[in-house]
Each structure stands twice: as C-alpha cells, then as structure tokens.
Amino acid sequence: MKWLLLLILLTATTVSAENYFTAVVGGTSVHIEDGYDDFDGTFKKFNNSHNLLGIEYRNIDYGVTVLRFENSYFDTSYMLTGSKYYQPIDNVEVIVSTGIVSGYTNRPACIVALNSMCAIVAVGIQLDTPIFKPRLTWYGTAFVLTLTLEF
C-alpha cells in the first residue's frame, strides 16, 4: 500500500510539473480594414478594445483555451480553441490554433458556420518573458494583442 501511495504521489508531481494554467487578458486589436457595414447598411468602425479574459490549460506542446471577450462587432463572444505550440528559437513560441467562437453569426468574419458558432483558425507568436508573456494573434482581418500569465 505504501508503494502504491508513493507511486501516485510521484505521478501527480510529474503531471503537475508538465501541465499548467495561464490566465489570458487584454485584447487590443488592429484591423486590416477600417470598419464594416452593419445590418442596417451603416458603416461602423471596428471595436479595437475587447476586454478579453480567459484561461488556458497547457503543456510545452499543446493548449486548450476558453475565452470571453467583446468582439470586433461589439457583441459578447465565447471562444474554445485547441493550440499547437512550436519553439523555433529561444523565448519565442509560434502558435497554431483552431476551434469555435460565438458572436459572429451572419458576419463576414464567419467563414464556416456551425449553427450559432463559427469555426476559426488563428496563428500567433508569443514571447516567453519571466512574468507576462505578450502574444500577438492573427484572426482573419484582426491582429489581437493579449498577455498571458502562468500560474
């Protein structure tokens, strides 16, 4: 019984050392286009401040993220993504993400609609700094800057 408890303890310690959580905050964006035509035909500027808040569970190679934010059309959105991380050079990670997002139904940004959700693909780059890790991600017509904090 003691050996079993020791094995469980060592396994739990190993798993927790490899997997961790990050908080994702911020969400300032720059769009390739100036704005969009709303449903009533009026031209509106994109939202560039997204009040983004989320959490990511990850290890060195993969991550799963859940986010809540105000999207470019000023609608509340929720996003679920799976990501693959590559480290081409020290302190720099390239991220390829795919997933689903709400809040873009009947919008040009929604390429593939799945009921009330849209499929997304995004590519980003993250600097591995000691505390906050700045991340720049390309989502369709927007480049979004966020900060992640490991805990």
Side-chain angles (χ1 to χ4, degrees):
M1 183 68 168
K2 290 179 186 177
W3 289 105
L4 179 60
L5 290 175
L6 182 60
L7 181 61
I8 291 171
L9 180 62
L10 288 173
T11 303
T13 305
T14 304
V15 169
S16 64
E18 294 174 0
N19 300 304
Y20 55 93
F21 287 95
T22 61
V24 185
V25 297
T28 301
S29 67
V30 174
H31 290 80
I32 296 171
E33 301 168 340
D34 288 334
Y36 61 98
D37 290 325
D38 204 7
F39 296 121
D40 62 5
T42 59
F43 182 80
K44 294 187 176 180
K45 293 269 188 189
F46 282 118
N47 175 26
N48 292 320
S49 180
H50 303 287
N51 301 314
L52 183 143
L53 183 60
I55 191 163
E56 179 178 36
Y57 181 70
R58 67 167 289 195
N59 61 30
I60 195 163
D61 294 320
Y62 299 97
V64 175
T65 306
V66 177
L67 302 172
R68 181 203 179 277
F69 60 98
E70 186 176 312
N71 69 27
S72 299
Y73 301 99
F74 298 92
D75 295 323
T76 299
S77 288
Y78 297 91
M79 184 184 300
L80 173 66
T81 59
S83 301
K84 171 68 174 134
Y85 287 79
Y86 303 91
Q87 191 166 19
I89 57 175
D90 287 346
N91 301 321
V92 175
E93 291 181 304
V94 174
I95 308 156
V96 178
S97 304
T98 186
I100 55 174
V101 62
S102 68
Y104 290 90
T105 306
N106 300 320
R107 298 287 191 183
C110 186
I111 298 168
V112 177
L114 308 165
N115 293 325
S116 64
M117 306 295 279
C118 294
I120 60 157
V121 175
V123 178
I125 188 166
Q126 177 171 282
L127 300 180
D128 190 12
T129 61
I131 299 174
F132 286 106
K133 299 174 185 342
R135 180 185 297 185
L136 184 65
T137 308
W138 175 40
Y139 295 100
T141 63
F143 291 91
V144 181
L145 179 63
T146 55
L147 295 175
T148 62
L149 175 64
E150 186 178 316
F151 62 95

